[in-house]
Amino acid sequence: MGSARSAGLSRGVVVDIDKAVATIQKAVRQAQQRANVEIHEVTAGIPANLLEIEPCQGMIAVADESKEIDDRDVRNVAAAALVRNLPPEREILTVIPDEFIVDGFDGIKDPRGMIGVRLEMHGMIMTAPKTVIHNLQKCIERAGLEVNQLVVNPLSLGQLALADGEQDFGTVLIDLGGGQSTAAVIHDHKLKYTYVDQEGGDYITKDISVVLNTSFDSAEKVKRDYGYADSTQASADEEFPVEVVGQDTPVTVSEKYLAEIIEARLTQIFEKMNQSLRKVGALDLPGGIVMTGGVTALPGIVELASDIFDHNVKLYIPDEMGLRHPSFAQALSLINYRAHLSEIDLIVQSTLKGNYRHQKAVQSDSGQYQAANQQAAQQQAETAAPKKDHFASIKKFFSNFFE
């Protein structure tokens, strides 16, 4: 592993590409030296800022003359599901297949090898602002790396931090990071809802810096060494020195006073989250609340969250050697998510690359499926042509389809 303090980011998104590139390169160099391997491709996490989740479905006629469904058919039906009219400022980030339907038989996870005439796919599409996506990609590319896959942070984190039952019956996952705080609802093994608060651990550090009149770096060190999230657990008798701007001698501050500064900001974050989650009924789910992220390393944070949410709260900390700190949970979740993607997931994801990603269409939903059937039927007929015309027919199909 390699780690570097984030720079060039504000509220979870890139605001200074040069600083972000330098940070990425520093972390990657550390990882390369420790593992003694060269890193060329990366899986990167995208924050849930302005994330939109919507259902999608596509339908095609099976192209092969034998009616046996193959990889090409899966890509075609996924492409049909992606046809939609997106606002110019948004882009499809990921598509997740829920089920495939072959000639009316539903609940199929992998239709390849099956015999059928009509293939359907139902799933979920997640879209994000182009600015967020492309700025992150630009940083990674300028750092000399290739983006293998972009993953929505709460989606991967939920698979790592939550048990199978918690993902199934429904749980609220809270990620308290340095740049921002994110609450996500995972239910039926799906990401159903996200809420992003632009206040995170950096805001707590700024509060300490302003109140104690100390530098940001000094405030960060004080927070980590002496901070408590719950002021009732801090001692008024335990004191520590703080370097004050403009003074030669440090000022003595009690743990309780520092905890009151930290608790005020965390209370504000939790109360806003509580309102948002209760509006959508998320706190009625039986899984309770699971918290992770660097800020959750503060002692007393579980007790404070339990009081504000009036709900069962537990903390997730990775148990892998060298990563036993909640700040590493997100990075570890990206590795875990990528490693557990099935072949069918990878095939569907591949439709986002190349020409698929930037295509837009203006058909209505009913028109989409009708057009998909007509074009797929045309492709099926064309496959009877000589083999030399095979790839030309596929190219023609997609060209017509996206017009």
Side-chain angles (χ1 to χ4, degrees):
M1 54 83 74
S3 65
R5 181 166 181 79
S6 63
L9 280 80
S10 177
R11 301 177 182 180
V13 298
V14 176
V15 293
D16 189 320
I17 290 179
D18 291 336
K19 288 183 178 180
V21 168
T23 301
I24 293 170
Q25 289 174 331
K26 182 179 179 180
V28 169
R29 276 197 303 268
Q30 287 184 18
Q32 288 182 140
Q33 290 169 359
R34 293 174 180 174
N36 196 28
V37 297
E38 290 188 2
I39 298 172
H40 302 288
E41 295 184 356
V42 295
T43 298
I46 285 280
N49 300 57
L50 301 176
L51 180 73
E52 292 184 2
I53 307 170
E54 56 183 285
C56 68
Q57 54 183 349
M59 182 170 61
I60 64 164
V62 177
D64 198 288
E65 288 183 346
S66 66
K67 306 301 181 186
E68 183 172 311
I69 299 169
D70 56 17
D71 291 0
R72 179 184 56 178
D73 295 309
V74 174
R75 291 191 185 95
N76 290 350
V77 75
L82 290 175
V83 177
R84 57 195 53 242
N85 185 25
L86 283 180
E89 73 277 5
R90 299 194 68 82
E91 185 172 320
I92 296 175
L93 179 60
T94 187
V95 54
I96 302 173
D98 288 336
E99 66 169 353
F100 292 89
I101 303 173
V102 178
D103 292 346
F105 293 95
D106 59 4
I108 300 170
K109 294 301 180 184
D110 188 346
R112 292 175 300 167
M114 295 182 177
I115 301 296
V117 175
R118 185 183 65 196
L119 175 64
E120 300 175 56
M121 186 192 86
H122 291 192
M124 302 294 293
I125 280 181
M126 299 183 187
T127 66
K130 282 185 177 180
T131 301
V132 175
I133 297 173
H134 286 271
N135 284 354
L136 178 60
Q137 287 179 321
K138 177 64 70 174
C139 289
I140 295 172
E141 290 168 0
R142 284 183 56 178
L145 302 164
E146 181 180 345
V147 181
N148 182 285
Q149 187 173 7
L150 293 176
V151 182
V152 180
N153 283 339
L155 184 65
S156 63
L157 191 57
Q159 292 190 7
L160 177 73
L162 304 182
D164 184 74
E166 290 172 331
Q167 296 182 54
D168 190 10
F169 290 100
T171 303
V172 175
L173 178 64
I174 295 178
D175 179 16
L176 298 177
Q180 61 186 21
S181 303
T182 305
V185 178
I186 311 292
H187 185 217
D188 194 23
H189 293 270
K190 301 171 187 173
L191 178 62
K192 295 294 185 71
Y193 173 79
T194 59
Y195 166 81
V196 177
D197 190 325
Q198 301 297 335
E199 300 175 7
D202 289 345
Y203 271 74
I204 298 173
T205 305
K206 288 177 183 177
D207 290 344
I208 297 171
S209 175
V210 171
V211 175
L212 300 183
N213 195 27
T214 187
S215 67
F216 186 89
D217 290 340
S218 176
E220 180 69 23
K221 186 176 187 303
V222 164
K223 180 183 73 174
R224 293 185 178 185
D225 293 345
Y226 305 102
Y228 281 83
D230 188 350
S231 60
T232 61
Q233 297 186 19
S235 172
D237 299 328
E238 294 291 334
E239 297 181 335
F240 54 89
V242 177
E243 296 179 358
V244 178
V245 175
Q247 296 187 23
D248 295 332
T249 57
V251 173
T252 302
V253 177
S254 70
E255 281 186 353
K256 190 170 186 64
Y257 185 52
L258 175 64
E260 288 172 348
I261 300 171
I262 296 172
E263 182 181 357
R265 177 64 68 175
L266 283 173
T267 298
Q268 179 174 309
I269 293 172
F270 286 153
E271 285 180 346
K272 287 190 289 185
M273 274 189 182
N274 189 34
Q275 293 176 3
S276 176
L277 292 170
R278 290 194 181 279
K279 283 182 181 178
V280 297
L283 295 181
D284 296 331
L285 297 172
I289 298 172
V290 176
M291 293 197 307
T292 191
V295 178
T296 61
L298 289 168
I301 195 163
V302 171
E303 291 78 8
L304 178 64
S306 298
D307 290 341
I308 295 175
F309 290 108
D310 191 24
H311 217 287
N312 179 45
V313 178
K314 71 176 185 178
L315 185 62
Y316 173 77
I317 300 175
D319 58 5
E320 280 73 9
M321 185 179 297
L323 300 174
R324 294 186 178 119
H325 192 280
S327 62
F328 291 122
Q330 182 61 70
L332 184 60
S333 75
L334 295 173
I335 301 169
N336 177 74
Y337 181 87
R338 182 65 178 82
H340 287 88
L341 280 178
S342 66
E343 283 188 21
I344 203 72
D345 289 325
L346 293 173
I347 292 172
V348 171
Q349 290 289 338
S350 70
T351 60
L352 288 173
K353 298 180 180 180
N355 293 331
Y356 295 112
R357 167 157 289 200
H358 300 289
Q359 299 295 346
K360 305 287 188 300
V362 296
Q363 298 108 315
S364 64
D365 284 345
S366 60
Q368 291 171 15
Y369 304 133
Q370 182 179 4
N373 277 325
Q374 291 173 349
Q375 297 292 349
Q378 178 183 346
Q379 184 191 19
Q380 181 182 352
E382 289 173 349
T383 56
K387 187 174 181 180
K388 64 181 180 180
D389 296 327
H390 178 66
F391 293 106
S393 66
I394 296 177
K395 182 177 180 181
K396 179 180 180 182
F397 162 63
F398 285 117
S399 175
N400 295 336
F401 181 79
F402 286 114
E403 286 176 358

